[in-house]
Amino acid sequence: MKEEATLKMQGRPLSKILALTVKTGIIKSNLIPMFAGLTLALYTYDFGLLEKLPEILLAFIGSSLVMGAAGAFNNLYDRDIDSIMKRTQSRPTVTGEIKPQQVLWLGALMSVFGILALALTTPLAGFLGFLGLFFYVVPYTMWSKRRTIYNTEIGSISGAMPPLIGWAAIHPDITHPAILGLFIITVIWQMPHFYAIAIRKHDEYKAANVPMLPVVKGVRRTYIQTNIYLIILIGISFLLGSLSIGLMLVALLLGIIWLGISVYGYKRMDPEKWAKSLFIFSLVHMTVLFSTVIIYSIMGIIFDL
């Protein structure tokens, strides 16, 4: 009761404090690519939804716990810079609504049970869950985020683990070109997305001494690097053709539109508006792509296409 009273001392309910600590918004958004990878594996290897229901449930539970653990550890370690940046100043780890020791225990318990739940589907899924957590906490949060302009690239590895985990929970082999394509697309997607955020939050990242690419190298370098990644994104889309020409065409079209927005917008907008247009389309890109993969896979399963 004493701990609960401590958690509520700032006026927010315990459920809200815990949700902010484990970043439930990020968990929800990352469950979509996980489910995309999972349904794609079901379709590829001709499994039924009910046939793999235990694995599906464990994949959702395990992924949620591992993602929540990553968020908790990130909040715990970044308390100092979060107190400087306006958009993170209200996090419970900054306001003192939750104690560091409590966050540490929360993250540890979620890690153990999350990896165990994934391992009950396949050992590979459990290993990928651990790998994603490790990459987010150690190479990204504890090392690269504060030291190099390539922090986004390093962090993108963990950010792209959900589709691999979903696939591996159904079938313990991630060498199929389609899932490799989905994984690489998810990796590459993160650079234009987070570069756009960094441009819009330039002053906050600068104040916190976080060396995001636009802060250190400027908008022109960010524009060039963004376009390079978008061209790579377009090329990687062809890997989806190994499973479905339709999925490949959707990915290609989305990538081409995104590149067009980048080139057109940079010439005609100020950096803030250009970055906003890239950010908005990044959300459209992932929503449409993963939704298409999920719908295509489920329709294929149900109607045996």
Side-chain angles (χ1 to χ4, degrees), residues 247-274:
L247 291 180
M248 181 192 77
L249 291 175
V250 169
L252 274 174
L253 180 61
L254 289 169
I256 291 169
I257 292 173
W258 201 357
L259 179 61
I261 290 173
S262 176
V263 174
Y264 178 86
Y266 182 78
K267 294 177 180 178
R268 292 166 175 78
M269 303 176 185
D270 60 54
E272 171 73 20
K273 290 182 179 179
W274 175 69

Side-chain angles (χ1 to χ4, degrees), residues 41-192:
L42 289 173
Y43 171 71
T44 303
Y45 297 105
D46 201 24
F47 291 118
L49 291 170
L50 295 179
E51 182 182 355
K52 288 290 185 178
L53 186 58
E55 286 82 358
I56 294 172
L57 294 175
L58 285 169
F60 271 99
I61 294 169
S63 297
S64 298
L65 289 172
V66 169
M67 293 169 192
F73 286 134
N74 177 263
N75 276 339
L76 178 64
Y77 192 82
D78 280 351
R79 300 193 307 280
D80 56 337
I81 59 176
D82 283 347
S83 65
I84 297 172
M85 299 179 67
K86 185 177 179 180
R87 70 185 182 89
T88 57
Q89 287 175 345
S90 62
R91 287 178 175 173
T93 43
V94 175
T95 63
E97 293 170 277
I98 188 168
K99 296 177 180 178
Q101 301 95 315
Q102 293 171 322
V103 180
L104 184 62
W105 274 106
L106 179 65
L109 289 172
M110 292 180 78
S111 299
V112 171
F113 287 111
I115 292 171
L116 178 61
L118 291 175
L120 290 175
T121 61
T122 69
L124 178 59
F127 175 70
L128 291 173
F130 165 77
L131 207 60
L133 177 62
F134 173 79
F135 264 94
Y136 189 76
V137 175
V138 181
Y140 173 64
T141 298
M142 298 179 69
W143 180 71
S144 67
K145 184 174 182 178
R146 304 172 187 231
R147 289 176 173 84
T148 172
I149 60 171
Y150 297 105
N151 51 19
T152 304
E153 282 81 352
I154 293 169
S156 69
I157 302 299
S158 60
M161 282 294 176
L164 284 186
I165 292 171
W167 179 286
I170 300 301
H171 186 76
D173 182 354
I174 53 173
T175 60
H176 194 290
I179 189 57
L180 289 177
L182 204 60
F183 168 71
I184 299 172
I185 286 172
T186 311
V187 169
I188 300 301
W189 173 89
Q190 293 175 76
M191 271 62 83

